[in-house]
Amino acid sequence: MTAEPLLDLRNLDVFLGESHVLQGVSFAVQQGGITALLGRNGVGKTTTLRGILGLVSRSGSVRLEGVELTKMPVHEIVRLGVGYVPEDRDVFSGLTVTENLKLAERPGAPLRYELVYELFPELLERAAQKAGTLSGGQQQMVALARALLNGNNRILLIDEPTKGLAPLMVSRVAEALKRAAVLTTILLVEQNLAVARHLAKDAIVLDQGRVQFCGEIDRLVGDADLARRYLGLAAAEAH
Amino acid sequence: MSTIVLLSITGLGLGALYFLIAAGLSLIWGLMRVLNFAHGAFFTVASYAAWLAMTSLPSASPWLQWLVALVAGVVTGGVFATLAELILIRPLYRRPVGQVLVTVGLALATVALVEGFFGTDARTFALPVWLTQTSAIAGAAIPNTRLVVVIAAVAVLLLLLFFLQRTRYGLIVRAGVENRAMVSALGIDVQRAFTLVFAIGGMAAGLAGALGATYFGSIDPARGTSMLISAFIVVVIGGLGSVTGSALAAVIVGLLQQFLNFYAAAGVGDFAVVILLAVVLLVRPSGLMGGKA
């Protein structure tokens, strides 16, 4: 008998305008560690995260520890313990670093400022700086810090955290995610297969709005045909 | 020299009224992307509430009457705006055309209702004696009403800045002006901030209604609508979502109107304001301080 999954999606459908982006997406994320959500550009990975959170209209079922989320407003879903780092970071550029973090504080949640500043000491140094004036890597630190800050998160939905970052910064973000994964479960959208493979044990592959693979990431990368078909040639060659 | 001082302070007084209406309009647009055409109705209803409060206390001292009128205006503006948000605007958040229609409808219906109850004629707004007098400033005899309106607007500006810069809800509003979806994604009930901003905007418009009655010495059903047009211009020039931008633009518009209407010809000031609006839209479409709460 298997334990109830932490996050359980059943037949998730999302339309964006006329486009049927998610077509009955179903998968489960077990408690602990990092699960990578993979696929080529435009297959619906970001939409899946946004659908879980309710940032796009969706039908189907999304359960967190058995609690149905689809009828809840976004802020209530987040308060249940769903942290989110969007693809474009979406830091509040007119607010300072401190204000960005303060905004992320949830009433009643234990706050992990120590962890955040240990992972990203630059944020302490630049506490009074407007987030809009930070470099891309530093903005990513703010975005990750906002999600890591609340100690009551059950799962973090993290969308392409290494996108557009310098190699050194990619390593730091990967290290931060590894540390975070000890404390909470992570569903990670990542285009960089090497990073995903380094961090995640399991993978879910989307293609044309449908789940094509669920299982161990090593099995995916080890299957040249699967990797070529759903992740592209470069990925297949990467194994 | 005395003429310049008089025109300056009168312009500032007019600008102060514009600011009180524009500040709420700007925040409402910035946070909620709602173009609130009913904002002038908040002004109108509040001015009549102030007048009713004043006339319902015939035996009270004139100052008490006036203070009660101000409070009645602020409370009425706030309650009216809150109810409008909860009942009419909230169901239409993702339907901008519906929002425009419902706020235009509310504005028209409110003016018609006020006309139905009170008639179309202006009603005199009785003031304490000091408010009907003038004070000498730099050789100019400045009507005390202008001074009071300017002081009140500065106080409101400071209060709004304190709210925005020093309180958690202010932080939420500033963040929401940038990206309200992300505010929700941080676990914040942004709808509550919407209601609060509407209430604050309504209270400021309500204060403008009561102070407008003080400034002009009378009230009439159409004034809210005419003030709203100038306030919209102020909001666009100042930058949508920026309270300080609205304050700056309100001062510029008020002074421009007063000076040009006096030194050029009546109506030239109003025309110049429209030209200024066009120039700002061409040169700096986001307004003087667009994007900053």
Side-chain angles (χ1 to χ4, degrees):
Chain A
M1 185 176 151
T2 53
E4 185 177 30
L6 176 69
L7 184 70
D8 193 9
L9 275 67
R10 302 264 172 91
N11 298 315
L12 194 66
D13 275 271
V14 172
F15 285 86
L16 296 178
E18 296 294 307
S19 179
H20 194 177
V21 180
L22 298 188
Q23 302 174 22
V25 166
S26 300
F27 64 80
V29 176
Q30 300 298 330
Q31 181 95 40
I34 298 177
T35 299
L37 184 57
L38 305 173
R40 297 172 200 255
N41 280 334
V43 296
K45 303 184 297 293
T46 294
T47 305
T48 302
L49 298 193
R50 292 173 65 81
I52 292 168
L53 213 55
L55 288 169
V56 290
S57 302
R58 76 287 208 220
S59 61
S61 167
V62 180
R63 288 173 177 269
L64 181 74
E65 293 181 315
V67 177
E68 181 60 53
L69 304 183
T70 46
K71 300 283 181 249
M72 291 183 182
V74 176
H75 70 276
E76 279 182 21
I77 294 172
V78 173
R79 285 180 192 176
L80 277 180
V82 182
Y84 178 54
V85 180
E87 183 181 7
D88 297 322
R89 295 148 197 158
D90 284 350
V91 296
F92 299 105
S93 57
L95 306 188
T96 65
V97 170
T98 302
E99 287 174 331
N100 267 273
L101 296 182
K102 267 196 170 309
L103 204 62
E105 292 178 2
R106 275 179 226 149
L111 300 175
R112 294 184 183 136
Y113 273 105
E114 246 177 65
L115 171 73
V116 161
Y117 289 135
E118 189 192 325
L119 290 172
F120 308 121
E122 292 95 327
L123 298 187
L124 201 53
E125 293 158 17
R126 297 178 183 275
Q129 192 172 330
K130 291 270 169 71
T133 64
L134 299 172
S135 68
Q138 289 162 343
Q139 289 190 3
Q140 188 60 271
M141 291 179 196
V142 174
L144 283 167
R146 285 191 312 205
L148 295 175
L149 188 63
N150 290 287
N152 68 346
N153 273 330
R154 314 290 301 130
I155 187 167
L156 300 182
L157 311 176
I158 302 182
D159 197 352
E160 300 211 32
T162 63
K163 184 179 161 189
L165 300 184
L168 188 65
M169 196 59 217
V170 171
S171 306
R172 287 192 62 190
V173 167
E175 195 51 41
L177 294 179
K178 212 170 181 176
R179 288 278 304 277
V182 176
L183 302 165
T184 186
T185 307
I186 295 175
L187 179 58
L188 174 71
V189 169
E190 182 56 71
Q191 284 285 11
N192 185 330
L193 191 62
V195 171
R197 201 177 175 188
H198 171 66
L199 293 171
K201 183 168 169 285
D202 294 317
I204 297 152
V205 177
L206 287 184
D207 192 53
Q208 295 183 341
R210 295 191 177 93
V211 173
Q212 303 293 348
F213 174 89
C214 268
E216 289 185 4
I217 195 165
D218 286 341
R219 189 160 68 83
L220 170 71
V221 180
D223 186 327
D225 184 46
L226 268 180
R228 186 181 300 112
R229 206 174 333 146
Y230 299 124
L231 304 177
L233 279 175
E237 286 155 3
H239 90 280
Chain B
M1 178 63 188
S2 63
T3 306
I4 290 174
V5 173
L6 176 64
L7 287 173
S8 298
I9 295 180
T10 304
L12 287 175
L14 197 57
L17 289 177
Y18 292 155
F19 165 72
L20 289 173
I21 302 173
L25 267 183
S26 184
L27 277 181
I28 288 168
W29 170 262
L31 181 67
M32 300 148 76
R33 296 290 183 268
V34 171
L35 208 50
N36 182 24
F37 288 96
H39 216 72
F42 303 160
F43 176 101
T44 301
V45 170
S47 66
Y48 276 85
W51 177 80
L52 279 174
M54 177 173 273
T55 52
S56 66
L57 297 168
S59 54
S61 76
W63 277 109
L64 182 63
Q65 283 182 330
W66 184 73
L67 286 173
V68 169
L70 285 192
V71 172
V74 171
V75 171
T76 303
V79 170
F80 189 19
T82 304
L83 292 176
E85 195 277 334
L86 290 173
I87 298 167
L88 298 174
I89 313 279
R90 183 166 287 196
L92 298 170
Y93 270 126
R94 288 168 195 246
R95 293 155 67 186
V97 175
Q99 287 168 359
V100 169
L101 291 176
V102 83
T103 58
V104 168
L106 180 60
L108 295 174
T110 303
V111 171
L113 272 173
V114 170
E115 285 178 352
F117 274 108
F118 299 99
T120 53
D121 293 340
R123 297 194 178 232
T124 307
F125 198 76
L127 295 172
V129 174
W130 185 81
L131 284 174
T132 62
Q133 295 171 338
T134 60
S135 294
I137 295 178
I142 307 295
N144 291 335
T145 50
R146 275 54 173 167
L147 299 175
V148 167
V149 170
V150 171
I151 290 166
V154 170
V156 169
L157 173 62
L158 294 176
L159 278 172
L160 279 175
L161 290 178
F162 177 83
F163 165 75
L164 288 169
Q165 300 294 335
R166 303 281 174 197
T167 67
R168 178 161 175 83
Y169 265 106
L171 187 60
I172 292 169
V173 171
R174 283 192 289 144
V177 166
E178 278 193 42
N179 185 343
R180 63 190 156 141
M182 194 59 220
V183 173
S184 295
L186 291 176
I188 293 162
D189 183 358
V190 81
Q191 295 269 15
R192 202 181 290 177
F194 288 179
T195 309
L196 182 68
V197 163
F198 240 89
I200 289 172
M203 287 164 75
L207 180 63
L211 287 175
T214 305
Y215 183 96
F216 297 110
S218 66
I219 58 171
D220 68 75
R223 186 160 293 139
T225 308
S226 62
M227 295 293 288
L228 182 68
I229 295 166
S230 298
F232 266 128
I233 292 173
V234 163
V235 169
V236 175
I237 291 175
L240 293 159
S242 169
V243 168
T244 39
S246 291
L248 180 63
V251 168
I252 293 170
V253 167
L255 289 175
L256 200 62
Q257 281 183 329
Q258 286 298 314
F259 275 88
L260 289 180
N261 281 341
F262 183 82
Y263 283 113
V268 173
D270 304 326
F271 180 68
V273 167
V274 177
I275 298 294
L276 175 66
L277 173 69
V279 170
V280 169
L281 284 174
L282 285 170
V283 177
R284 197 176 162 86
S286 61
L288 299 177
M289 299 182 76
K292 292 178 187 170

